[in-house]
Amino acid sequence: VEKGRRRNPWLASASLALGELSVLASKSGLIIDRKSAHQLPKITEEELRRQFDRVDTNNTGQLERRDIQNACASLGLPSSDDYVSELMMQYDARQAGAVSFHDFSAYVRTQEQQMQRAFLAIDKDGTGVITAEGALYAVHSLGIDAKEKDAVQMIKLLDASSDGVVSYAEFRMYLCLLPRAHMRQNSTWNWLGSAVDRVVMAPRTQPLKQLFAGSVSGAVSKTLTAPLERARMMMQATPGESVSVRRALTRIMREEGAAGLFRGNVVSLVKIIPASGLQFAVFESGKDFLMLRSSRGGSGDLSTGERLLAGSAAGFVSTFVCYPLDTIKTQMSVVSSSAVSGNLSSVGRQIIRQQGALALYKGLVPTLVTDIIGNGVGFTLYDTFNSQFRKRVGRKPQPAEKGLLGGLAACCCMTITMPLEVVITRMRIQGSGGRPILYKNTADCLVRISRTEGVTALWKGASATYGKVFPQIAIVYFIFELVSRELAIKDLQKYDLK
């Protein structure tokens, strides 16, 4: 590898992106890189057969699970049942339990353009081979720290011909053993991870992907459960009258129309979108950080304490950043219109004008405590439930099953944190809209409520809260897993975690 040569990291990123976009299919059936005009011919039937036979070591004419496991292990890829099952699902369109040459060739041909793009994004000089220098340059372009010896190991892993470089045919063999989403987006990152004996730091795009996936999952969940939230609010607002969920929904539809089921949802989304995104991004990034710096050298899974720390950090960051939005939303919901009115921005300005800027953070301490505990315990329980599911069932849970596990974890957390939620609400609204100031601090509020209303008042509305929280959080985790799969969030190590 050439030493002393420096490249601007911003130009590197731009160059890598352009390389991915500059692959075009010509009428002659060739894929052409604009920069070098180097032509990569489409794979032939003979090449497909050679690649297939390389995996079919038993010469049965079919790729069975053992064949794929051995091929993955030889290239430093996971060989767990979960990983192999995912590969077989994308190969075996007929679900016959084994992959025929027809199934294998059909998959490679449909994905060939993506494979060509992945190769040309690294082969910047258009020589038709990947050198150690090119591999190192591609890794650095992703914002990943790597050494020259790492690039040498990358070449050595895929260099079946032992000529010191990786040809497109050799690189394609590796790509065929990656899950489709990882092949499209994380081929270079996974290649480095397969070649070196350590946990590799994530590309700079991973936290942004996690932020996006968390934001989308929070928005979808909140919107889908908005009608249940409106029904719950109507049921609580009619003391002495027995109102079922169905009756409440019917009344809303009759009086306000379908739009009434989602009244106030936009205001809720203003807070939910950034909060949910930050929670997942900080939690996943925190786990990656702790894994890289683990005393175990980055091997194995995180401990319960490390998960608690990552989850607690997620709760702290998301709450501190988004708390003013929650305060404004609460004031808009419970304070009379004569005190505050208008949209989110207008109400925020009115609160600052009437009570000062610190009023936006009124009740912050109990909220921080609640969310630090809630996120720490919630994320830890979620990971623990997933691990137990895998041990007992023998496979990792599917997205829908992860959603159910997430909902269960959330209900466990709500039981712990609900008293603090009651205190938070009381602390926020006292002194607003002519309401008296009754409580000095969090502890005083807890004591007064327990004495005057009974201890059970701290869990008032628990059943209704469970009915709201379980589906909402279950949908959050379900959508997050679906988006994560599509965006190839996290590296391949997740397939080997127990």
Side-chain angles (χ1 to χ4, degrees):
V1 179
E2 183 181 351
K3 296 183 178 180
R5 185 174 181 179
R6 296 182 178 179
R7 301 196 188 193
N8 187 301
W10 294 103
L11 292 178
S13 299
S15 178
L16 190 63
L18 288 173
E20 294 176 348
L21 295 174
S22 64
V23 181
L24 300 174
S26 68
K27 293 181 179 180
S28 60
L30 300 177
I31 306 295
I32 301 175
D33 178 30
R34 287 179 178 175
K35 176 184 175 182
S36 63
H38 174 67
Q39 297 179 346
L40 294 176
K42 287 189 174 182
I43 190 170
T44 64
E45 193 79 4
E46 182 180 358
E47 289 174 318
L48 277 169
R49 175 58 68 176
R50 283 200 301 268
Q51 190 166 330
F52 182 85
D53 290 343
R54 183 178 169 186
V55 181
D56 181 22
T57 54
N58 294 322
N59 299 317
T60 60
Q62 289 185 320
L63 302 183
E64 300 177 346
R65 296 185 66 89
R66 178 60 60 182
D67 296 320
I68 297 176
Q69 282 180 324
N70 292 337
C72 289
S74 69
L75 295 178
L77 291 168
S79 55
S80 63
D81 289 339
D82 289 334
Y83 188 82
V84 174
S85 294
E86 189 165 333
L87 292 182
M88 292 193 72
M89 286 180 63
Q90 67 185 22
Y91 286 142
D92 186 14
R94 295 174 298 176
Q95 298 295 301
V99 182
S100 67
F101 175 71
H102 172 77
D103 295 329
F104 179 81
S105 61
Y107 172 78
V108 175
R109 291 189 185 281
T110 58
Q111 299 299 317
E112 185 175 13
Q113 189 173 3
Q114 295 288 347
M115 294 180 182
Q116 298 259 12
R117 288 177 177 173
F119 181 83
L120 291 172
I122 304 175
D123 178 25
K124 304 309 298 180
D125 297 327
T127 59
V129 295
I130 299 175
T131 63
E133 180 188 23
L136 185 62
Y137 176 49
V139 169
H140 286 168
S141 299
L142 297 175
I144 300 175
D145 183 29
K147 308 297 183 183
E148 292 180 5
K149 63 179 181 180
D150 297 329
V152 172
Q153 286 298 112
M154 292 172 69
I155 297 300
K156 184 178 179 180
L157 178 68
L158 303 188
D159 183 17
S161 59
S162 300
D163 57 2
V165 294
V166 174
S167 67
Y168 172 59
E170 292 168 334
F171 191 66
R172 183 178 59 223
M173 181 69 205
Y174 180 76
L175 294 178
C176 286
L177 295 174
L178 288 178
R180 187 181 293 109
H182 283 274
M183 182 268 292
R184 291 197 313 264
Q185 302 193 44
N186 293 337
S187 57
T188 302
W189 180 29
N190 291 324
W191 183 13
L192 174 63
S194 298
V196 300
D197 188 22
R198 69 173 191 274
V199 175
V200 177
M201 66 181 295
R204 64 170 66 95
T205 57
Q206 283 292 301
L208 293 177
K209 289 181 178 181
Q210 294 158 357
L211 183 68
F212 175 78
S215 298
V216 170
S217 60
V220 172
S221 173
K222 189 64 176 177
T223 300
L224 291 178
T225 57
L228 290 176
E229 176 67 6
R230 278 298 322 272
R232 183 183 69 87
M233 292 177 65
M234 175 170 283
M235 292 166 65
Q236 292 180 339
T238 53
E241 181 181 351
S242 178
V243 180
S244 65
V245 174
R246 181 178 179 181
R247 183 178 176 184
L249 291 174
T250 302
R251 180 185 299 178
I252 294 170
M253 286 287 292
R254 183 176 63 251
E255 297 177 356
E256 306 176 39
L261 297 174
F262 300 92
R263 193 175 74 182
N265 188 55
V266 174
V267 175
S268 297
L269 291 180
V270 171
K271 186 254 181 178
I272 287 295
I273 289 175
S276 181
L278 284 171
Q279 285 171 3
F280 279 100
V282 174
F283 178 62
E284 296 295 343
S285 297
K287 289 200 299 181
D288 291 342
F289 176 84
L290 293 172
M291 183 70 76
L292 283 170
R293 285 153 181 79
S294 170
S295 60
R296 300 180 299 277
S299 61
D301 201 0
L302 291 174
S303 67
T304 300
E306 289 169 327
R307 288 195 182 105
L308 277 169
L309 180 59
S312 297
F316 175 84
V317 172
S318 64
T319 299
F320 190 81
V321 172
C322 302
Y323 190 82
L325 295 173
D326 214 15
T327 299
I328 295 171
K329 176 178 174 292
T330 301
Q331 296 264 349
M332 294 174 69
S333 301
V334 301
V335 178
S336 63
S337 59
S338 60
V340 293
S341 60
N343 57 29
L344 198 71
S345 176
S346 175
V347 171
R349 289 195 300 270
Q350 292 173 56
I351 293 173
I352 294 174
R353 185 170 58 251
Q354 295 173 10
Q355 305 177 49
L358 291 179
L360 294 175
Y361 283 94
K362 187 166 60 175
L364 174 63
V365 173
T367 305
L368 277 176
V369 173
T370 300
D371 287 353
I372 287 173
I373 295 174
N375 281 270
V377 174
F379 277 123
T380 300
L381 283 176
Y382 174 69
D383 274 6
T384 302
F385 290 166
N386 275 277
S387 297
Q388 290 299 314
F389 182 98
R390 190 167 185 167
K391 289 178 181 179
R392 295 177 182 276
V393 180
R395 60 172 176 81
K396 66 179 182 179
Q398 296 300 309
E401 293 166 333
K402 286 191 173 185
L404 295 176
L405 295 175
L408 177 61
C411 288
C412 292
C413 285
M414 285 302 301
T415 303
I416 299 172
T417 61
M418 197 172 295
L420 282 175
E421 291 283 357
V422 174
V423 171
I424 289 166
T425 302
R426 299 284 183 95
M427 294 287 290
R428 276 179 182 163
I429 64 175
Q430 69 171 351
S432 300
R435 295 172 181 264
I437 298 178
L438 301 175
Y439 314 109
K440 299 176 182 178
N441 49 46
T442 303
D444 181 59
C445 186
L446 276 170
V447 172
R448 283 176 176 267
I449 292 174
S450 300
R451 285 178 177 175
T452 59
E453 304 175 43
V455 175
T456 56
L458 296 174
W459 282 271
K460 187 177 182 179
S463 58
T465 302
Y466 291 145
K468 165 198 170 186
V469 167
F470 183 86
Q472 182 174 327
I473 302 303
I475 294 172
V476 166
Y477 280 108
F478 172 63
I479 299 298
F480 181 80
E481 288 300 322
L482 292 181
V483 177
S484 294
R485 282 190 175 189
E486 187 63 27
L487 297 181
I489 293 177
K490 298 194 69 65
D491 60 11
L492 300 180
Q493 188 195 25
K494 66 180 181 180
Y495 290 96
D496 285 332
L497 295 180
K498 302 302 182 184

